[in-house]
Amino acid sequence: MCSIIGYTGKFTAASVLVESLKKMEYRGYDSVGIATLDSNNILIRKGVGKVREVDDSLQLYKMPGQVGIGHTRWATHGGISKSNAHPHTDCDNNVVVVHNGIIDNYQQLKDNLIKQGHIFQSQTDSEVIAHLIETYLKKFDIKQAIIETCKQIHGTYAFVAIFKSGLVAGARLDEPLIIGIGNNGNFISSDVLGFLEYTDKAIFLDNYDIVILDDKNINLFDFNGNAISRPITQVAWELGDIDKGKYAHYTIKEIHEQKNSIPMAFQINRSSLEKTVDIISSSKNIFITGSGTSYHSALLAKYLFYKFAKIRTEIIMSSEFEYVSGALDENSLLIAISQSGETADVLNSVKIAKQHKAKILSIVNISTSSLCRLSDHYVSINSGPEIGVAATKSFTAQLAVIYSIIDNFCTNNRPLDMSTSMFSNILNEILTDTSYLEKIAEDLKSVRDIYILGTSYHYPIALEGALKIKELAYIHAEGIAAGEIKHGPLALIEPGTIVIVLNPEDETYYNVLNSIHQMKSRGAKIIGISNKNNDLYDYFIRLPLVNKYLYPIIEIIPIQILSYYLAIKNNANPDYPRNLAKSVTVK
Ligand code: M6R
């Protein structure tokens, strides 16, 4: 939820940190701060806003010193303000800390520290870390002070501190922290994007790892102070390729990238696919979990597993998982779907499933993520970096992977024709001219509510479409199973209410037409998304003809584009929706 970066080396730290923070801003973007060490003095500058804005006003990049830490915040404890922005310092400005996560017992720790005479400057939970380290430094060296601090704090954290000696220290528990080993210095970061411009050599810290580093040495310890070692991983350089290119925003760039990312996702490595099929076939109870968009992928998987593989799966939203996990055992399989592989709710579900001895299979984009490392096996959706906070290309790639897995269960009669060349042509057709969607957005930009209807495997797409409209355009939107409207939602329909219907010609077609009649006769304005026009539609968004079972993968794309245009027309920044963050690493 927040991004952390630390650097020690030959370069001026602040300019390196500012550029790194810009790349990780997707993790949180309400305030920014940097601390550097200059001639035995710790300097701090911080402010409210995005990295570029705060850098323009405070000239962060000009701060002197070759050791530093930086942070972008997504507020949890304490409002969005300069004093709550990180870094936080101890009473004497001898140690300065940045933190990602939540310290559950911070209030009790803070009360004790205040009784001992510590003075706090923020309302955050994070500031206790600086004061605890200060206290322990009176008795111990840096290593032991960090260990004692970690023993005191409960919750989730990745934190990094710098000291006047020039040392940088960090620790993690259930939040990512990665070391980058460069020729011109070392890094410590929430994401490899923080240092990929300088090095592709990374060490992924595990839970309960502590690191102390300078520009040449990296020393790792466990919470008992024993030296430990972790492998050096070579990270793919392409992850660093996050330029907007010719596009105004990452979101629209990533929507267009689906021309390649969908066909790519269909090409799962054969042996990985076979292993996946084996794991699924040998499991008695299959649970699928995910959050937000990834949860919608899980829901679609349920329909497809039933229909084509005759396999029953139970879909559980990750944030609800801990309350309904009683039925898991050693014959169970949990399939965890996550773009980032770092979502706290998903990781928590995995942890619970592992406690029940269930197997873990994951579908992820970031193959260096915590989720991959916790899984018995993972399948990569291969989408490349997705920077826009709204999931777009990762959603359709998740669907492509799910279809590919399920296709392998249809051994006698393969109903899912997924030739990649066919897909490329279809995607070109959808994405080449989007002016009609822009016109619809102009007509819709001031509406208060939008309903999206779909039945069967179009229902998860209706939910996902509504999520896109909400988060990008700040318009209330609701996905509804078409057959359900007569059981309640019809009461909301009045003349002019906007209803988008997902209605390609397949076995759901006539049932959905019935629901459209029921709404149309109450004055709803209908936007039909289909391969076939109908007089009932006030607007018609044509889909190219594909195998009828594959429509879910393509019918979301016009809604993604419509949501993007609605955001633009409502002056919202589609890349960074208010109050959200790309990687939700807190529960
Ligand atoms: O990285 P994950 O797939 O685990 O993320 C899960 C959700 O936080 C994510 O899909 C979120 O709902 C998106 N912003 C939706 O566009």
Side-chain angles (χ1 to χ4, degrees):
M1 304 299 300
C2 303
S3 70
I4 287 179
I5 178 76
Y7 170 75
T8 164
K10 290 187 187 147
F11 304 129
T12 303
S15 56
V16 172
L17 300 175
V18 167
E19 291 312 309
S20 297
L21 290 177
K22 281 182 190 161
K23 296 192 178 104
M24 294 193 291
E25 206 160 24
Y26 71 88
R27 299 180 62 85
Y29 36 84
D30 55 46
S31 50
V32 185
I34 279 184
T36 58
L37 178 68
D38 180 47
S39 325
N40 213 31
N41 272 326
I42 291 178
L43 313 173
I44 301 176
R45 287 184 200 171
K46 52 191 187 178
V48 171
K50 299 194 68 208
V51 180
R52 196 173 296 281
E53 293 156 4
V54 179
D55 189 33
D56 282 350
S57 64
L58 301 180
Q59 313 270 283
L60 300 175
Y61 73 100
K62 283 191 174 161
M63 291 168 72
Q66 289 166 263
V67 179
I69 47 176
H71 186 269
T72 61
R73 181 168 185 247
W74 184 82
T76 59
H77 295 52
I80 300 166
S81 65
K82 182 180 171 192
S83 57
N84 288 336
H86 298 218
H88 295 291
T89 178
D90 66 328
C91 297
D92 299 326
N93 206 29
N94 284 327
V95 51
V96 66
V97 173
V98 286
H99 165 233
N100 171 33
I102 293 176
I103 309 298
D104 293 333
N105 60 338
Y106 87 98
Q107 193 61 55
Q108 183 197 332
L109 294 169
K110 186 171 175 174
D111 292 346
N112 287 340
L113 287 158
I114 289 172
K115 272 188 209 142
Q116 290 166 32
H118 288 260
I119 295 176
F120 279 74
Q121 294 172 32
S122 78
Q123 285 81 49
T124 64
D125 52 337
S126 312
E127 194 182 346
V128 295
I129 301 173
H131 293 274
L132 281 172
I133 296 174
E134 174 187 9
T135 308
Y136 290 117
L137 276 178
K138 292 189 174 128
K139 282 201 243 157
F140 302 114
D141 62 3
I142 288 178
K143 175 181 149 191
Q144 198 58 35
I146 298 288
I147 292 173
E148 297 299 329
T149 300
C150 290
K151 285 182 182 164
Q152 290 294 317
I153 53 180
H154 302 156
T156 60
Y157 53 84
F159 71 82
V160 177
I162 54 172
F163 300 84
K164 284 195 170 168
S165 60
L167 286 179
V168 180
R172 73 155 281 195
L173 179 59
D174 287 340
E175 295 291 351
L177 200 55
I178 307 155
I179 295 164
I181 310 167
N183 291 332
N184 293 307
N186 291 321
F187 298 80
I188 181 160
S189 179
S190 301
D191 187 324
V192 292
L193 288 177
F195 53 73
L196 252 184
E197 197 183 325
Y198 302 93
T199 179
D200 63 347
K201 287 196 196 65
I203 297 175
F204 290 83
L205 295 184
D206 269 350
N207 279 341
Y208 306 103
D209 284 359
I210 287 173
V211 61
I212 296 183
L213 54 91
D214 60 22
D215 56 340
K216 294 187 192 65
N217 305 299
I218 297 167
N219 296 305
L220 302 178
F221 307 96
D222 62 20
F223 277 18
N224 294 319
N226 302 314
I228 50 170
S229 70
R230 298 276 171 238
I232 297 176
T233 306
Q234 189 153 0
V235 194
W237 283 110
E238 312 86 71
L239 284 176
D241 175 20
I242 54 164
D243 200 61
K244 275 188 242 169
K246 63 177 183 181
Y247 297 95
H249 297 98
Y250 288 114
T251 306
I252 192 69
K253 174 181 177 242
E254 286 157 7
I255 290 171
H256 279 269
E257 280 173 357
Q258 290 175 111
K259 276 182 217 162
N260 299 320
S261 59
I262 296 176
M264 279 278 289
F266 274 120
Q267 288 161 25
I268 310 178
N269 165 298
R270 195 69 233 162
S271 67
S272 175
L273 193 56
E274 278 164 11
K275 189 162 178 196
T276 304
V277 171
D278 276 356
I279 295 176
I280 294 173
S281 311
S282 60
S283 306
K284 273 204 178 134
N285 309 309
I286 300 172
F287 298 81
I288 314 182
T289 196
S291 299
T293 293
S294 298
Y295 170 69
H296 299 149
S297 295
L299 276 183
L300 180 60
K302 174 189 175 127
Y303 285 97
L304 299 174
F305 265 116
Y306 262 124
K307 183 163 181 74
F308 298 110
K310 312 282 176 258
I311 291 177
R312 190 172 72 87
T313 58
E314 185 164 347
I315 314 303
I316 307 174
M317 204 178 269
S318 298
S319 56
E320 290 292 312
F321 196 87
E322 63 186 282
Y323 310 110
V324 284
S325 55
L328 276 109
D329 60 19
E330 67 277 13
N331 297 315
S332 306
L333 169 67
L334 176 66
I335 304 179
I337 307 178
S338 173
Q339 186 282 131
S340 61
E342 299 293 351
T343 302
D345 290 326
V346 177
L347 296 179
N348 190 46
S349 310
V350 166
K351 222 190 244 173
I352 294 165
K354 280 174 99 80
Q355 282 160 5
H356 286 85
K357 305 203 168 15
K359 275 217 163 70
I360 311 296
L361 170 68
S362 54
I363 298 175
V364 269
N365 193 25
I366 310 294
S367 43
T368 48
S369 62
S370 306
L371 180 57
C372 292
R373 281 176 288 126
L374 289 170
S375 301
D376 294 286
H377 181 57
Y378 71 86
V379 184
S380 168
I381 63 168
N382 251 324
S383 295
E386 186 180 67
I387 304 300
V389 166
T392 53
K393 64 175 179 171
S394 66
F395 177 60
T396 48
Q398 287 171 347
L399 299 190
V401 164
I402 290 165
Y403 271 90
S404 303
I405 294 170
I406 288 167
D407 186 48
N408 275 266
F409 286 92
C410 311
T411 39
N412 301 327
N413 155 31
R414 299 202 107 139
L416 305 170
D417 167 22
M418 300 179 298
S419 99
T420 47
S421 62
M422 167 204 79
F423 248 105
S424 298
N425 294 337
I426 284 165
L427 293 165
N428 260 324
E429 208 177 316
I430 297 176
L431 287 159
T432 300
D433 182 4
T434 60
S435 53
Y436 183 53
L437 293 165
E438 188 172 4
K439 183 202 169 294
I440 300 179
E442 180 60 35
D443 294 353
L444 261 53
K445 66 179 183 211
S446 305
V447 301
R448 201 191 50 193
D449 311 292
I450 297 179
Y451 299 96
I452 309 187
L453 263 62
T455 277
S456 176
Y457 27 75
H458 305 291
Y459 171 52
I461 306 301
L463 296 177
E464 172 59 12
L467 180 60
K468 289 296 86 99
I469 293 174
K470 275 184 257 198
E471 76 182 319
L472 288 177
Y474 312 152
I475 293 174
H476 166 248
E478 224 179 298
I480 303 174
E484 283 297 297
I485 59 144
K486 55 187 178 292
H487 299 297
L490 212 46
L492 295 167
I493 305 298
E494 51 190 40
T497 305
I498 301 294
V499 180
I500 300 176
V501 286
L502 299 166
N503 199 23
E505 276 186 295
D506 61 16
E507 56 260 37
T508 68
Y509 184 72
Y510 287 103
N511 279 342
V512 174
L513 274 190
N514 286 340
S515 304
I516 299 173
H517 275 290
Q518 291 163 16
M519 289 178 301
K520 187 82 185 171
S521 55
R522 278 139 186 112
K525 252 196 185 156
I526 308 292
I527 303 176
I529 301 185
S530 176
N531 58 304
K532 186 181 175 191
N533 202 348
N534 191 296
D535 288 346
L536 291 167
Y537 302 151
D538 297 280
Y539 298 88
F540 173 55
I541 299 170
R542 182 181 296 282
L543 294 175
L545 206 58
V546 287
N547 173 321
K548 63 182 178 185
Y549 298 118
L550 300 181
Y551 276 116
I553 303 184
I554 61 167
E555 68 198 8
I556 187 62
I557 299 174
I559 308 183
Q560 293 171 344
I561 300 169
L562 180 67
S563 308
Y564 171 78
Y565 284 131
L566 282 169
I568 299 297
K569 293 186 185 290
N570 283 321
N571 294 319
N573 182 341
D575 288 343
Y576 300 104
R578 67 185 177 203
N579 305 334
L580 300 181
K582 180 80 180 159
S583 201
V584 187
T585 63
V586 291
K587 276 182 74 189

